[in-house]
Amino acid sequence: MRLFRTSFLAAVVVAFTLVACDSDNDDAGIDRSVVLENYANIVFASYQDSYNTAVTLDQAIDAFIANPTAATLQSAQTAWLAAREPYGQTEAYRFANGPIDDADGPEGLLNAWPLDEAYIDYVVGDDDAGIINNPGQFPTIDADLLVSLNEEGGEENVSIGYHAIEFLLWGQDLSDTSAGTRPVTDFTTAENADRRKQYLGVVSDLLLVHLDEMVDAWDPNGSGNYRATFLGLDSDVAIRNIMTGIGTLSKSELAVERMFVAVNNQDQEDEHSCFSDNTHRDIITNAQGIANVWRGSYTRVDGSTVSGTSLSDLVRESDATVANTVDSNVSAALSSVDAIPVPFDQTIINAQNSVLTSVDALQDLGDSFVEGARAIGITISNELPD
C-alpha cells in the first residue's frame, strides 16, 4: 500500500509568517534568508502534492491492472491528469542548480520528452515495436531494466516517467479532434497484454520512487538534505539560482523549447503531452509555477496556501518600478497562456498567432526577471545552458 506524505509544514509556515512580518518591518529591510525559507517551503509543498497525487494515480493504475475495463481505464486517465497539475508547477525549480537537475537528479526519469512511442510499444504500421513486444531481448520487465533503458541510445528513447505512463494509458493520438484512444483489449486479449500491464505497473511505481527523492530533498524535517544545503548558501547565490531558474524556464525552455518549436515544426510530436491532449495544461501550470516563485505563494491541491515574503517584495523594496513591471508581465503571461485554444496540436496548425503571442509574453517576462535581479544587485542569465 502506498502512503501519502504528510508533514508539519503548516506549523512551519505559521511560524515563518510571523518571522517574515517582523523582518518586513525591520529598518534594515527585508532579510533575504526569509525569502529563501519561504521558497523552500513552497518547493517542498508542491513536491509533496506531486507525490501524493502520484499515489492516487498509482492506486488507480493498480485497480486498472487488476480489472481492466473502460471505467477503470478512465479512472486511471483522470488520475494522471490530476497528478500533472502540481507537478507542472514544480518545473519552476528547474535550471536553479537544485537537486532535480543535478548529475544524479531524477528529472530525466520523471518528465523526459518527446517520447518515441515505438521504443515502448506497438505503433501504427509496426505491431511488433517496442520493449513490450520484444520478450526475446527483454524477457523480464522490471524497474532495473526500464531505468537502464531510459534515453539509452537517444534522448527520445524515453522508457519511464509521466509521459511513458501517458502513452500506455492513451496510446497514440491519431485524431484531430480527440486524444489517444488505446483500447482496453490491449491489456486483456491483445498479444503481450500481460507484459503491457507489467510495464505500466513498474513505471507507475518508479514515478513514486523518483518523486519521493524530491520530497526528501526539500523536507523541513530532514537532516542533512538539500534544503539544509540551500538555506546554508550565501543568500545572493541562492537568490541568483532561483531567479535564473524562473528566468530560464520563462524565456527559453517554456517559450522556445516547449511552444515555439512546436509551432515552427507544426508537429504534435513536439508538444509536451501529445497522447492525452493535455499540453495546454502543461503550459499553464509551468507558467503558474513561475508566478508562484515570484509572488512567494503556492496554492496546494487541498486549497490551502503556503506563502510568505517573496522575490516581488524584495525587488519592490529596491525598485518599485521594476517590481511593478515584473508583476505586470507575470499577469500578462498567465492571461496569455490561459487563452491558448485547445487542443494544442490543432492550435499550432490553425491558430499559431495565439501561441506566438504567449511566446512573446513569456520572453518579456524572462527578460524582466533579469531586470528584477539587477535591481537587487544580482546578475542572472535567462538562456538555456549549452
Side-chain angles (χ1 to χ4, degrees):
M1 178 181 293
R2 298 290 178 178
L3 300 178
F4 290 85
R5 296 294 298 256
T6 59
S7 75
F8 298 109
L9 183 59
V12 171
V13 172
V14 170
F16 164 65
T17 302
L18 295 175
V19 173
C21 291
D22 289 343
S23 297
D24 285 347
N25 294 325
D26 194 303
D27 291 337
I30 294 174
D31 183 346
R32 295 187 179 195
S33 67
V34 177
V35 177
L36 301 180
E37 186 84 24
N38 184 47
Y39 172 82
N41 288 339
I42 288 171
V43 175
F44 173 67
S46 54
Y47 275 129
Q48 191 178 53
D49 279 352
S50 298
Y51 178 88
N52 287 342
T53 53
V55 170
T56 301
L57 170 61
D58 186 62
Q59 292 169 342
I61 285 173
D62 286 347
F64 170 63
I65 291 171
N67 180 30
T69 67
T72 55
L73 176 59
Q74 177 69 57
S75 293
Q77 291 173 339
T78 298
W80 187 91
L81 295 171
R84 291 294 289 173
E85 291 295 302
Y87 188 81
Q89 295 174 69
T90 72
E91 290 287 273
Y93 319 136
R94 298 281 316 281
F95 317 110
N97 289 326
I100 184 66
D101 285 320
D102 70 21
D104 299 317
E107 199 284 327
L109 304 172
L110 283 167
N111 200 38
W113 69 283
L115 179 152
D116 179 2
E117 305 97 305
Y119 190 61
I120 294 176
D121 200 1
Y122 76 87
V123 293
V124 170
D126 191 351
D127 292 342
D128 298 322
I131 299 163
I132 288 171
N133 298 300
N134 192 351
Q137 185 175 358
F138 308 112
T140 301
I141 295 174
D142 59 21
D144 288 343
L145 173 71
L146 297 189
V147 169
S148 72
L149 292 176
N150 194 60
E151 298 185 327
E152 178 70 20
E155 64 179 13
E156 293 187 1
N157 291 341
V158 176
S159 58
I160 61 176
Y162 282 102
H163 297 297
I165 296 171
E166 178 195 10
F167 172 54
L168 288 167
L169 292 177
W170 273 274
Q172 289 180 284
D173 180 6
L174 303 173
S175 170
D176 292 342
T177 58
S178 67
T181 56
R182 184 184 286 277
V184 173
T185 52
D186 276 1
F187 298 90
T188 56
T189 59
E191 188 171 0
N192 294 316
D194 287 342
R195 285 174 60 82
R196 196 166 287 112
K197 287 190 287 187
Q198 179 70 24
Y199 196 117
L200 179 57
V202 171
V203 290
S204 180
D205 289 344
L206 281 170
L207 191 71
L208 294 176
V209 170
H210 296 129
L211 286 171
D212 197 40
E213 291 179 23
M214 292 298 95
V215 177
D216 287 343
W218 289 96
D219 190 344
N221 297 311
S223 176
N225 60 4
Y226 181 77
R227 179 193 177 100
T229 299
F230 172 77
L231 295 177
L233 292 173
D234 176 87
S235 61
D236 283 359
V237 171
I239 290 171
R240 180 182 298 115
N241 288 344
I242 296 170
M243 296 198 72
T244 296
I246 57 176
T248 302
L249 177 60
S250 184
K251 181 170 184 177
S252 300
E253 177 68 17
L254 180 54
V256 178
E257 297 296 324
R258 303 188 183 190
M259 297 173 66
F260 180 76
V261 168
V263 171
N264 192 51
N265 293 343
Q266 294 192 21
D267 187 350
Q268 72 168 7
E269 294 296 322
D270 291 317
E271 64 165 324
H272 213 156
S273 295
C274 62
F275 313 115
S276 61
D277 274 350
N278 196 53
T279 300
H280 65 292
R281 289 304 307 169
D282 291 329
I283 293 168
I284 289 169
T285 56
N286 291 175
Q288 184 60 56
I290 294 167
N292 295 345
V293 172
W294 170 252
R295 294 169 174 172
S297 182
Y298 167 66
T299 300
R300 301 199 62 162
V301 170
D302 66 6
S304 63
T305 301
V306 179
S307 62
T309 308
S310 65
L311 291 172
S312 178
D313 296 329
L314 187 61
V315 172
R316 186 172 305 283
E317 182 181 57
S318 296
D319 192 323
T321 299
V322 170
N324 286 339
T325 297
V326 181
D327 284 342
S328 177
N329 285 345
V330 167
S331 296
L334 288 173
S335 296
S336 182
V337 298
D338 193 52
I340 295 174
V342 296
F344 188 78
D345 58 0
Q346 295 307 298
T347 298
I348 60 177
I349 297 172
N350 302 316
Q352 297 175 34
N353 285 343
S354 64
V355 181
L356 294 176
T357 297
S358 294
V359 168
D360 289 342
L362 287 163
Q363 294 206 306
D364 287 345
L365 176 57
D367 286 338
S368 68
F369 285 135
V370 174
E371 297 305 313
R374 185 176 294 123
I376 55 175
I378 293 173
T379 300
I380 69 166
S381 170
N382 56 16
E383 303 291 341
L384 286 169
D386 294 332

